[in-house]
Amino acid sequence: MARLRVHNFAMSLDGFAAGTDQSQESPLGLGGESLHPWIFATRTGRAMLGEEGGSEGVNDDFVRAGEDGIGATIMGRNMFGPVRGPWPDISWRGWWGENPPFHHPVYVMTHHARPDVQMAGGTVFRFIDAAPREVLAMAVDAAGGLDVRLGGGVSTVRAFLAEGLVDEMHLAIAPVFLGDGERLFGDGVPPEGYASDPLVVGDGIAHAVIRRA
């Protein structure tokens, strides 16, 4: 059976997974970029950018695991872009250029419909106004027997956790403070029934894997 997995979801020491005031210039909110440099220092992270080099070891193992066995991705509208409300046009096609690193169907959860966007390399963005369980069923069907990856933003992951739909979640805890922003945990999230493996320390990052207990 296909599993719903979260990978490389970074958060600060004070519990924030995104900063405030997301914009085209600050896609992860103010200070949010400080949570992710470790990814692009790895060999797998560099390859996502079309570059060579990068480190191997613990961090690279975790980044690579997030690419293995994935047949579809779900993300919230905030992860797709900074545009809010009804789409003014269809010119915004995501943060990743014309050949995004997904190479499979990507379901973008939004209350505002727009046509599918076919990108180079096999990525298709599909814009869906539906509840988490319904979107997951669509993604599982599209994944063709592979697992489904759940991307951000924070509110999207919280919604799936609250319904107990996440099977496995990898968190990367960065040694920075954001001071404000969006918290992943709190107010009953994660729900009962999840437990963490022992922390694994990488180069400048602590990794936690949370699974169904």
Side-chain angles (χ1 to χ4, degrees):
M1 178 180 290
R3 296 178 300 155
L4 182 62
R5 296 156 40 190
V6 176
H7 287 275
N8 305 311
F9 197 88
M11 60 192 299
S12 65
L13 287 174
D14 48 351
F16 296 105
T20 59
D21 301 320
Q22 185 195 35
S23 66
Q24 191 166 345
E25 293 71 31
S26 300
L28 298 170
L30 298 178
E33 295 292 336
S34 65
L35 302 176
H36 297 89
W38 68 275
I39 295 177
F40 302 106
T42 66
R43 181 176 295 274
T44 303
R46 291 276 184 88
M48 292 178 189
L49 300 175
E51 300 175 359
E52 297 182 353
S55 63
E56 298 181 338
V58 170
N59 289 353
D60 188 58
D61 291 344
F62 275 102
V63 176
R64 188 171 63 253
E67 302 299 311
D68 292 343
I70 299 295
T73 292
I74 299 170
M75 67 174 62
R77 173 147 175 199
N78 287 10
M79 183 173 174
F80 179 74
V83 183
R84 300 292 182 266
W87 301 97
D89 53 48
I90 58 173
S91 60
W92 181 262
R93 294 163 63 87
W95 303 103
W96 304 276
E98 290 301 308
N99 188 4
F102 304 101
H103 313 299
H104 54 232
V106 177
Y107 291 82
V108 181
M109 297 179 69
T110 174
H111 296 303
H112 300 279
R114 63 177 281 182
D116 292 355
V117 177
Q118 177 76 54
M119 308 293 285
T123 299
V124 182
F125 291 112
R126 295 173 176 159
F127 301 88
I128 305 297
D129 183 7
R133 197 173 297 272
E134 297 173 78
V135 177
L136 178 57
M138 297 177 200
V140 166
D141 185 61
L146 298 176
D147 286 346
V148 176
R149 180 172 53 205
L150 178 61
V154 177
S155 60
T156 299
V157 175
R158 284 174 59 91
F160 281 81
L161 276 173
E163 294 196 24
L165 298 175
V166 177
D167 293 292
E168 179 180 309
M169 179 167 62
H170 162 227
L171 302 178
I173 304 166
V176 299
F177 295 98
L178 292 187
D180 198 0
E182 294 183 78
R183 292 187 183 275
L184 180 61
F185 296 134
D187 303 321
V189 177
E192 295 182 2
Y194 289 90
S196 177
D197 291 355
L199 294 179
V200 176
V201 179
D203 183 10
I205 292 288
H207 301 276
V209 177
I210 297 172
R211 310 177 195 272
R212 293 188 184 279

